[in-house]
Amino acid sequence: MPFAGPVCRTIRGLLIVGAIVVFGTQAQAETLRVGKSTLTSFTYTLLEVGMQSGIFEKHGLTIESSAFGGGPRLIQGMTAGAIDIGLDGGTDMAMIVKGAPMKGIAPLSGAPVEMVIAVKAGGPIKTVADLKGKKIAITGAGTLTGWITRELVRSQGWAESDVNYVMSSNIAASRALLKVGEIDAVTTDMSTTLENERRGEERLLFTFGDLVKDFHMQIIFATDKVIAEKPQAVRAFMAAWLETIAFAKANKEKTVSIIQQVLGFHPDVLNSTYDRVINVYSTDGKFNPRALAVLARSYVELKLLDREPDMTKLYTEEFLPKK
């Protein structure tokens, strides 16, 4: 068999080339640890939509997703180096001024449509006006839920003392208090409220997107460490995230199906949430100067900062895809 030698050498050569290609691809893949400040957010679960649709993998990324019990815990994780990318509320950008080693790299959403006030089903609270003098649970005085609830109080022309704020970072505990009548309302997320409304336990009283128009409710943060050490991975993450948003907008059924697997809520609830929030997601990752101005004001009103910061130092757009 005179051709056996050349043929074998050719096969061996092809196998070597194939191995180089395979191992080269694996070497290029980067793992990013992505944290979500809350477990039940419809918006943050878009991360899993991108993961299960293969979008992050296409961009050479392996995503390790985890959820935290609020923004402060997420920021602790980022500060400790346990998380590279954080999906968090816009008000937590103030923590950068206080020394949190991170920077905003893109807004997730605009108006706070996903934030609502829930009341007990069949209870005495029928309108926003009925909240005067009542107890409303928020996750903390210096949090997004705290500021946005105070914005509603101000819009009603009430004094700060006209509402009793109940501080609890545990939303499940707040809902339990609502159920037994220990509090009158809770500022929370839309999906869980609609799910509990479906079960006859709660009623959606008010949507904050009707109150605050220029805003960045949620922002993507990256740690200073990952920005310095893995800038290309951060850039790939942003390209994959924006592609995920485009996918979600074009594929409602698939998007809702994936989110349903993660959150476990009824499909009707998630379809309704999708219809209400899908158009507030940023499709270009650029910050809105008017929204940033409102955020700067909120930091002072929440007593997080003594004065409004220079917002341009708290974020960057350098990781957005180049046109």
Side-chain angles (χ1 to χ4, degrees):
M1 298 181 64
F3 295 102
V7 170
C8 287
R9 285 194 295 271
T10 300
I11 292 174
R12 284 198 298 270
L14 289 174
L15 289 174
I16 292 171
V17 171
I20 291 173
V21 171
V22 170
F23 288 117
T25 300
Q26 291 176 340
Q28 291 175 5
E30 287 278 11
T31 297
L32 287 178
R33 300 162 300 173
V34 183
K36 303 180 288 185
S37 62
T38 59
L39 177 64
T40 58
S41 168
F42 184 99
T43 298
Y44 296 156
T45 312
L46 291 173
L47 179 68
E48 278 73 22
V49 173
M51 292 166 63
Q52 293 191 31
S53 301
I55 296 173
F56 286 102
E57 182 181 8
K58 185 180 78 173
H59 286 270
L61 296 175
T62 298
I63 301 296
E64 295 179 355
S65 173
S66 57
F68 291 75
R73 292 184 180 178
L74 170 61
I75 293 173
Q76 287 174 5
M78 297 180 75
T79 302
I83 296 295
D84 302 309
I85 303 288
L87 312 182
D88 196 10
T91 51
D92 278 344
M93 190 183 280
M95 296 301 102
I96 299 173
V97 180
K98 290 180 170 290
M102 63 185 192
K103 185 163 285 189
I105 57 173
L108 288 181
S109 59
V113 175
E114 196 176 357
M115 295 297 296
V116 304
I117 288 184
V119 297
K120 185 177 181 180
I125 308 297
K126 305 300 182 185
T127 68
V128 169
D130 295 332
L131 292 173
K132 189 172 184 179
K134 300 300 190 295
K135 297 178 182 178
I136 304 178
I138 58 176
T139 53
T143 64
L144 172 62
T145 60
W147 179 78
I148 208 165
T149 305
R150 285 180 168 85
E151 282 291 286
L152 178 60
V153 168
R154 180 173 22 231
S155 73
Q156 297 297 304
W158 301 341
E160 184 79 5
S161 59
D162 284 335
V163 166
N164 297 312
Y165 297 101
V166 178
M167 311 295 177
S168 173
S169 60
N170 189 325
I171 297 296
S174 295
R175 291 195 131 92
L177 292 175
L178 179 65
K179 191 172 184 177
V180 298
E182 289 295 319
I183 61 173
D184 303 291
V186 57
T187 298
T188 183
D189 71 283
M190 177 182 290
S191 296
T192 308
T193 301
L194 291 177
E195 176 69 11
N196 289 341
E197 187 173 72
R198 185 184 69 84
R199 295 174 178 174
E201 299 172 358
E202 295 178 4
R203 184 169 65 85
L204 194 160
L205 179 73
F206 181 78
T207 301
F208 284 101
D210 299 332
L211 177 66
V212 183
K213 300 298 183 183
D214 291 317
F215 202 62
H216 286 318
M217 176 181 161
Q218 295 142 324
I219 290 175
I220 301 176
F221 295 95
T223 64
D224 294 341
K225 181 179 175 65
V226 77
I227 286 175
E229 297 180 358
K230 297 182 178 181
Q232 291 304 322
V234 178
R235 190 165 284 109
F237 181 88
M238 280 312 312
W241 180 266
L242 294 177
E243 186 173 332
T244 297
I245 297 299
F247 175 89
K249 283 178 171 284
N251 297 274
K252 177 181 177 180
E253 184 176 351
K254 180 64 174 177
T255 298
V256 169
S257 175
I258 293 173
I259 293 178
Q260 198 275 332
Q261 294 171 31
V262 178
L263 298 183
F265 295 157
H266 194 278
D268 290 348
V269 166
L270 298 176
N271 275 302
S272 179
T273 303
Y274 176 100
D275 291 340
R276 300 186 194 204
V277 305
I278 193 66
N279 290 324
V280 301
Y281 298 141
S282 174
T283 57
D284 60 8
K286 292 185 177 297
F287 286 88
N288 177 350
R290 295 188 303 276
L292 291 171
V294 174
L295 280 174
R297 172 169 63 86
S298 77
Y299 303 155
V300 178
E301 293 172 347
L302 287 169
K303 297 181 172 56
L304 295 173
L305 302 175
D306 294 331
R307 60 181 180 274
E308 295 184 11
D310 179 356
M311 297 297 285
T312 63
K313 295 181 179 180
L314 308 185
Y315 73 92
T316 178
E317 296 180 348
E318 68 173 287
F319 297 105
L320 298 180
K322 304 300 182 186
K323 297 296 184 180

